[in-house]
Amino acid sequence: MKTLSALETLHQQIISCRQCPRLVAWRERVGQEKRAAYRHWIYWARPVPGFGDPQARILLFGLAPGAHGSNRTGRPFTGDASGEFLYAALYRAGLSNQPKATHQGDGLALQGVYITAAVRCAPPANKPAPEEIKRCAEWTRLELALLSQVRVYLALGQIAHQALLDYLGLRRSAFPFAHGSEYPLGQQVLLSSYHVSRQNTQTGKLTTAMFDAILKRAKALAGL
Ligand code: SF4
């Protein structure tokens, strides 16, 4: 319980962060303008802290909140196509208690997995700037300091993979990204996958079978 309350305290600090002027302006603008289908929602429009099991052995590392997904709901990958694909897969893998994620308080609980991202505010065109990733890495450091059981870093996409390498102080050229790439890093392993974006899943670049195989491998590496 000590870990949980420390995480909650950290999350409150993250939610108040306004260090990246471009992202603060964008996340709030999206929250005001909204998408027509969500016009009755009050968008979260703040940084999205991590979510999951404080005893996680798998850290799932995404890129950034989706403008109308987690920037609307306030929970990673919740409320958009990426999340539909991801959470259904986590459920099939036995890493969660339900296949759907629609809003905070929907009953979803992760088992053995914690989800966070390279940046915690929605960026224009889903493209955070290098300095924004660098700034947000401090929040990554603080979150990971409270997740002592993590054995597998599962990076979703090349930018998340590179952000993790930067965070770990490792040369990008020594650990190139590929779908299914796997690098032992002392007590941990860096495993990477194509991102679960709609662009990848609708074009077949990332299929459910491919992602199920990644989660199976992550579980094996994590001893789950
Ligand atoms: S991206 Fe990270 S560092 Fe920048 S404002 Fe959001 S929470 Fe703060």
Side-chain angles (χ1 to χ4, degrees):
M1 292 309 287
K2 192 175 168 204
T3 305
L4 181 60
S5 83
L7 266 176
E8 284 172 349
T9 302
L10 177 62
H11 288 172
Q12 290 309 312
Q13 295 169 354
I14 290 173
I15 289 165
S16 305
C17 184
R18 301 181 66 85
Q19 291 182 70
C20 303
R22 187 182 80 112
L23 300 189
V24 170
W26 179 252
R27 76 193 192 203
E28 293 178 357
R29 180 176 154 192
V30 169
Q32 287 297 317
E33 294 179 353
K34 307 183 184 181
R35 178 176 281 170
Y38 304 125
R39 64 187 180 283
H40 298 306
W41 273 77
I42 296 172
Y43 274 49
W44 177 258
R46 286 175 279 166
V48 178
F51 165 66
D53 182 351
Q55 302 303 322
R57 294 178 73 85
I58 299 171
L59 178 86
L60 216 148
F61 199 68
L63 170 61
H68 301 281
S70 53
N71 187 54
R72 172 171 58 90
T73 63
R75 197 176 64 187
F77 288 102
T78 299
D80 61 14
S82 301
E84 276 177 33
F85 183 94
L86 173 67
Y87 284 118
L90 290 173
Y91 181 69
R92 284 194 301 276
L95 294 168
S96 74
N97 67 336
Q98 63 185 45
K100 290 199 181 295
T102 54
H103 60 280
Q104 295 193 53
D106 59 8
L108 177 65
L110 302 184
Q111 295 144 5
V113 177
Y114 186 90
I115 303 176
T116 192
V119 298
R120 289 157 181 78
C121 295
N126 288 322
K127 287 195 177 131
E131 64 271 20
E132 291 160 351
I133 294 176
K134 197 170 171 190
R135 233 173 260 136
C136 217
E138 177 60 12
W139 291 125
T140 298
R141 186 183 71 74
L142 293 169
E143 269 189 316
L144 282 185
L146 297 173
L147 300 169
S148 60
Q149 304 300 312
V150 169
R151 294 295 174 267
V152 178
Y153 299 122
L154 174 49
L156 296 183
Q158 184 166 15
I159 296 176
H161 171 95
Q162 291 176 340
L164 264 173
L165 290 174
D166 293 348
Y167 161 74
L168 294 166
L170 299 169
R171 273 189 305 124
R172 293 181 179 186
S173 57
F175 304 91
F177 170 82
H179 178 77
S181 62
E182 195 178 305
Y183 299 108
L185 306 171
Q187 285 202 318
Q188 280 92 18
V189 177
L190 170 59
L191 175 67
S192 295
S193 165
Y194 290 138
H195 194 277
V196 294
S197 66
R198 185 200 290 264
Q199 193 182 4
N200 286 343
T201 58
Q202 283 200 337
T203 57
K205 183 174 181 180
L206 179 65
T207 64
T208 53
M210 286 165 69
F211 197 64
D212 285 350
I214 289 281
L215 291 181
K216 187 175 176 191
R217 183 63 184 149
K219 283 180 71 176
L221 290 167
L224 292 172

PDB file of all heavy atoms in Angstrom, residues 139-156:
ATOM      1  N   TRP A 139       9.630  12.602 -15.325  1.00  0.00           N
ATOM      2  CA  TRP A 139       8.464  11.930 -14.736  1.00  0.00           C
ATOM      3  C   TRP A 139       8.593  10.413 -14.892  1.00  0.00           C
ATOM      4  O   TRP A 139       8.189   9.659 -14.004  1.00  0.00           O
ATOM      5  CB  TRP A 139       7.166  12.420 -15.372  1.00  0.00           C
ATOM      6  CG  TRP A 139       6.791  13.835 -15.051  1.00  0.00           C
ATOM      7  CD1 TRP A 139       6.520  14.829 -15.947  1.00  0.00           C
ATOM      8  CD2 TRP A 139       6.621  14.427 -13.749  1.00  0.00           C
ATOM      9  NE1 TRP A 139       6.196  15.998 -15.291  1.00  0.00           N
ATOM     10  CE2 TRP A 139       6.249  15.772 -13.945  1.00  0.00           C
ATOM     11  CE3 TRP A 139       6.760  13.954 -12.443  1.00  0.00           C
ATOM     12  CZ2 TRP A 139       6.007  16.650 -12.878  1.00  0.00           C
ATOM     13  CZ3 TRP A 139       6.515  14.828 -11.386  1.00  0.00           C
ATOM     14  CH2 TRP A 139       6.151  16.150 -11.604  1.00  0.00           C
ATOM     15  N   THR A 140       9.170   9.980 -15.999  1.00  0.00           N
ATOM     16  CA  THR A 140       9.413   8.540 -16.188  1.00  0.00           C
ATOM     17  C   THR A 140      10.338   8.031 -15.082  1.00  0.00           C
ATOM     18  O   THR A 140      10.097   6.975 -14.476  1.00  0.00           O
ATOM     19  CB  THR A 140      10.065   8.273 -17.565  1.00  0.00           C
ATOM     20  OG1 THR A 140       9.162   8.710 -18.586  1.00  0.00           O
ATOM     21  CG2 THR A 140      10.377   6.799 -17.758  1.00  0.00           C
ATOM     22  N   ARG A 141      11.384   8.801 -14.821  1.00  0.00           N
ATOM     23  CA  ARG A 141      12.348   8.381 -13.785  1.00  0.00           C
ATOM     24  C   ARG A 141      11.640   8.243 -12.436  1.00  0.00           C
ATOM     25  O   ARG A 141      11.827   7.252 -11.725  1.00  0.00           O
ATOM     26  CB  ARG A 141      13.484   9.414 -13.694  1.00  0.00           C
ATOM     27  CG  ARG A 141      14.612   9.021 -12.753  1.00  0.00           C
ATOM     28  CD  ARG A 141      15.654  10.114 -12.646  1.00  0.00           C
ATOM     29  NE  ARG A 141      15.185  11.279 -11.916  1.00  0.00           N
ATOM     30  CZ  ARG A 141      15.022  11.361 -10.601  1.00  0.00           C
ATOM     31  NH1 ARG A 141      15.304  10.301  -9.853  1.00  0.00           N
ATOM     32  NH2 ARG A 141      14.587  12.463 -10.028  1.00  0.00           N
ATOM     33  N   LEU A 142      10.803   9.204 -12.117  1.00  0.00           N
ATOM     34  CA  LEU A 142      10.125   9.162 -10.821  1.00  0.00           C
ATOM     35  C   LEU A 142       9.100   8.026 -10.757  1.00  0.00           C
ATOM     36  O   LEU A 142       8.949   7.366  -9.716  1.00  0.00           O
ATOM     37  CB  LEU A 142       9.455  10.513 -10.534  1.00  0.00           C
ATOM     38  CG  LEU A 142      10.448  11.668 -10.326  1.00  0.00           C
ATOM     39  CD1 LEU A 142       9.731  13.012 -10.326  1.00  0.00           C
ATOM     40  CD2 LEU A 142      11.228  11.478  -9.024  1.00  0.00           C
ATOM     41  N   GLU A 143       8.409   7.774 -11.864  1.00  0.00           N
ATOM     42  CA  GLU A 143       7.441   6.666 -11.868  1.00  0.00           C
ATOM     43  C   GLU A 143       8.170   5.328 -11.730  1.00  0.00           C
ATOM     44  O   GLU A 143       7.790   4.479 -10.922  1.00  0.00           O
ATOM     45  CB  GLU A 143       6.613   6.668 -13.174  1.00  0.00           C
ATOM     46  CG  GLU A 143       5.331   7.473 -13.081  1.00  0.00           C
ATOM     47  CD  GLU A 143       4.406   7.301 -14.285  1.00  0.00           C
ATOM     48  OE1 GLU A 143       4.888   7.315 -15.434  1.00  0.00           O
ATOM     49  OE2 GLU A 143       3.183   7.164 -14.066  1.00  0.00           O
ATOM     50  N   LEU A 144       9.244   5.170 -12.514  1.00  0.00           N
ATOM     51  CA  LEU A 144       9.952   3.883 -12.482  1.00  0.00           C
ATOM     52  C   LEU A 144      10.625   3.635 -11.142  1.00  0.00           C
ATOM     53  O   LEU A 144      10.781   2.485 -10.722  1.00  0.00           O
ATOM     54  CB  LEU A 144      10.977   3.819 -13.612  1.00  0.00           C
ATOM     55  CG  LEU A 144      10.380   3.529 -14.982  1.00  0.00           C
ATOM     56  CD1 LEU A 144      11.458   3.354 -16.035  1.00  0.00           C
ATOM     57  CD2 LEU A 144       9.524   2.277 -14.928  1.00  0.00           C
ATOM     58  N   ALA A 145      10.992   4.701 -10.460  1.00  0.00           N
ATOM     59  CA  ALA A 145      11.619   4.540  -9.142  1.00  0.00           C
ATOM     60  C   ALA A 145      10.660   3.873  -8.162  1.00  0.00           C
ATOM     61  O   ALA A 145      11.080   3.274  -7.170  1.00  0.00           O
ATOM     62  CB  ALA A 145      12.068   5.896  -8.610  1.00  0.00           C
ATOM     63  N   LEU A 146       9.356   3.975  -8.452  1.00  0.00           N
ATOM     64  CA  LEU A 146       8.348   3.384  -7.556  1.00  0.00           C
ATOM     65  C   LEU A 146       7.873   2.014  -8.049  1.00  0.00           C
ATOM     66  O   LEU A 146       7.010   1.405  -7.423  1.00  0.00           O
ATOM     67  CB  LEU A 146       7.158   4.333  -7.422  1.00  0.00           C
ATOM     68  CG  LEU A 146       7.485   5.691  -6.789  1.00  0.00           C
ATOM     69  CD1 LEU A 146       6.278   6.613  -6.852  1.00  0.00           C
ATOM     70  CD2 LEU A 146       7.941   5.509  -5.340  1.00  0.00           C
ATOM     71  N   LEU A 147       8.428   1.559  -9.170  1.00  0.00           N
ATOM     72  CA  LEU A 147       8.001   0.277  -9.752  1.00  0.00           C
ATOM     73  C   LEU A 147       9.194  -0.688  -9.721  1.00  0.00           C
ATOM     74  O   LEU A 147       9.815  -0.952 -10.746  1.00  0.00           O
ATOM     75  CB  LEU A 147       7.507   0.487 -11.190  1.00  0.00           C
ATOM     76  CG  LEU A 147       6.308   1.433 -11.325  1.00  0.00           C
ATOM     77  CD1 LEU A 147       6.076   1.796 -12.796  1.00  0.00           C
ATOM     78  CD2 LEU A 147       5.043   0.798 -10.748  1.00  0.00           C
ATOM     79  N   SER A 148       9.489  -1.177  -8.548  1.00  0.00           N
ATOM     80  CA  SER A 148      10.737  -1.920  -8.347  1.00  0.00           C
ATOM     81  C   SER A 148      10.719  -3.335  -8.926  1.00  0.00           C
ATOM     82  O   SER A 148      11.761  -3.967  -9.019  1.00  0.00           O
ATOM     83  CB  SER A 148      11.042  -1.992  -6.849  1.00  0.00           C
ATOM     84  OG  SER A 148       9.970  -2.645  -6.181  1.00  0.00           O
ATOM     85  N   GLN A 149       9.549  -3.829  -9.311  1.00  0.00           N
ATOM     86  CA  GLN A 149       9.473  -5.211  -9.799  1.00  0.00           C
ATOM     87  C   GLN A 149       9.613  -5.324 -11.322  1.00  0.00           C
ATOM     88  O   GLN A 149       9.572  -6.425 -11.853  1.00  0.00           O
ATOM     89  CB  GLN A 149       8.125  -5.839  -9.388  1.00  0.00           C
ATOM     90  CG  GLN A 149       7.840  -5.814  -7.904  1.00  0.00           C
ATOM     91  CD  GLN A 149       8.891  -6.580  -7.120  1.00  0.00           C
ATOM     92  OE1 GLN A 149       9.247  -7.702  -7.455  1.00  0.00           O
ATOM     93  NE2 GLN A 149       9.414  -5.948  -6.084  1.00  0.00           N
ATOM     94  N   VAL A 150       9.756  -4.196 -12.003  1.00  0.00           N
ATOM     95  CA  VAL A 150       9.756  -4.252 -13.476  1.00  0.00           C
ATOM     96  C   VAL A 150      10.950  -5.042 -14.002  1.00  0.00           C
ATOM     97  O   VAL A 150      12.091  -4.786 -13.630  1.00  0.00           O
ATOM     98  CB  VAL A 150       9.754  -2.817 -14.073  1.00  0.00           C
ATOM     99  CG1 VAL A 150      10.019  -2.858 -15.583  1.00  0.00           C
ATOM    100  CG2 VAL A 150       8.419  -2.139 -13.801  1.00  0.00           C
ATOM    101  N   ARG A 151      10.661  -6.002 -14.865  1.00  0.00           N
ATOM    102  CA  ARG A 151      11.697  -6.826 -15.493  1.00  0.00           C
ATOM    103  C   ARG A 151      11.719  -6.657 -17.004  1.00  0.00           C
ATOM    104  O   ARG A 151      12.719  -6.953 -17.642  1.00  0.00           O
ATOM    105  CB  ARG A 151      11.484  -8.315 -15.156  1.00  0.00           C
ATOM    106  CG  ARG A 151      11.662  -8.644 -13.674  1.00  0.00           C
ATOM    107  CD  ARG A 151      13.096  -8.418 -13.216  1.00  0.00           C
ATOM    108  NE  ARG A 151      13.266  -8.583 -11.778  1.00  0.00           N
ATOM    109  CZ  ARG A 151      13.185  -7.572 -10.906  1.00  0.00           C
ATOM    110  NH1 ARG A 151      12.946  -6.337 -11.319  1.00  0.00           N
ATOM    111  NH2 ARG A 151      13.351  -7.794  -9.623  1.00  0.00           N
ATOM    112  N   VAL A 152      10.600  -6.228 -17.569  1.00  0.00           N
ATOM    113  CA  VAL A 152      10.512  -6.085 -19.029  1.00  0.00           C
ATOM    114  C   VAL A 152      10.014  -4.687 -19.368  1.00  0.00           C
ATOM    115  O   VAL A 152       8.960  -4.267 -18.891  1.00  0.00           O
ATOM    116  CB  VAL A 152       9.540  -7.127 -19.637  1.00  0.00           C
ATOM    117  CG1 VAL A 152       9.417  -6.925 -21.147  1.00  0.00           C
ATOM    118  CG2 VAL A 152      10.011  -8.537 -19.328  1.00  0.00           C
ATOM    119  N   TYR A 153      10.810  -3.976 -20.170  1.00  0.00           N
ATOM    120  CA  TYR A 153      10.331  -2.733 -20.758  1.00  0.00           C
ATOM    121  C   TYR A 153       9.770  -3.094 -22.118  1.00  0.00           C
ATOM    122  O   TYR A 153      10.523  -3.561 -22.987  1.00  0.00           O
ATOM    123  CB  TYR A 153      11.480  -1.737 -20.964  1.00  0.00           C
ATOM    124  CG  TYR A 153      12.212  -1.310 -19.710  1.00  0.00           C
ATOM    125  CD1 TYR A 153      13.584  -1.505 -19.591  1.00  0.00           C
ATOM    126  CD2 TYR A 153      11.543  -0.668 -18.669  1.00  0.00           C
ATOM    127  CE1 TYR A 153      14.284  -1.083 -18.476  1.00  0.00           C
ATOM    128  CE2 TYR A 153      12.232  -0.245 -17.544  1.00  0.00           C
ATOM    129  CZ  TYR A 153      13.598  -0.462 -17.456  1.00  0.00           C
ATOM    130  OH  TYR A 153      14.288  -0.043 -16.345  1.00  0.00           O
ATOM    131  N   LEU A 154       8.497  -2.905 -22.312  1.00  0.00           N
ATOM    132  CA  LEU A 154       7.886  -3.193 -23.614  1.00  0.00           C
ATOM    133  C   LEU A 154       7.575  -1.865 -24.291  1.00  0.00           C
ATOM    134  O   LEU A 154       6.616  -1.171 -23.922  1.00  0.00           O
ATOM    135  CB  LEU A 154       6.621  -4.045 -23.430  1.00  0.00           C
ATOM    136  CG  LEU A 154       5.786  -4.305 -24.679  1.00  0.00           C
ATOM    137  CD1 LEU A 154       6.641  -4.798 -25.842  1.00  0.00           C
ATOM    138  CD2 LEU A 154       4.690  -5.318 -24.379  1.00  0.00           C
ATOM    139  N   ALA A 155       8.410  -1.513 -25.272  1.00  0.00           N
ATOM    140  CA  ALA A 155       8.250  -0.228 -25.964  1.00  0.00           C
ATOM    141  C   ALA A 155       7.317  -0.397 -27.151  1.00  0.00           C
ATOM    142  O   ALA A 155       7.456  -1.330 -27.935  1.00  0.00           O
ATOM    143  CB  ALA A 155       9.610   0.277 -26.444  1.00  0.00           C
ATOM    144  N   LEU A 156       6.371   0.538 -27.261  1.00  0.00           N
ATOM    145  CA  LEU A 156       5.432   0.520 -28.384  1.00  0.00           C
ATOM    146  C   LEU A 156       5.881   1.550 -29.415  1.00  0.00           C
ATOM    147  O   LEU A 156       5.652   2.743 -29.248  1.00  0.00           O
ATOM    148  CB  LEU A 156       4.022   0.832 -27.907  1.00  0.00           C
ATOM    149  CG  LEU A 156       3.409  -0.177 -26.935  1.00  0.00           C
ATOM    150  CD1 LEU A 156       1.987   0.216 -26.594  1.00  0.00           C
ATOM    151  CD2 LEU A 156       3.446  -1.586 -27.516  1.00  0.00           C
TER     152      LEU A 156
END
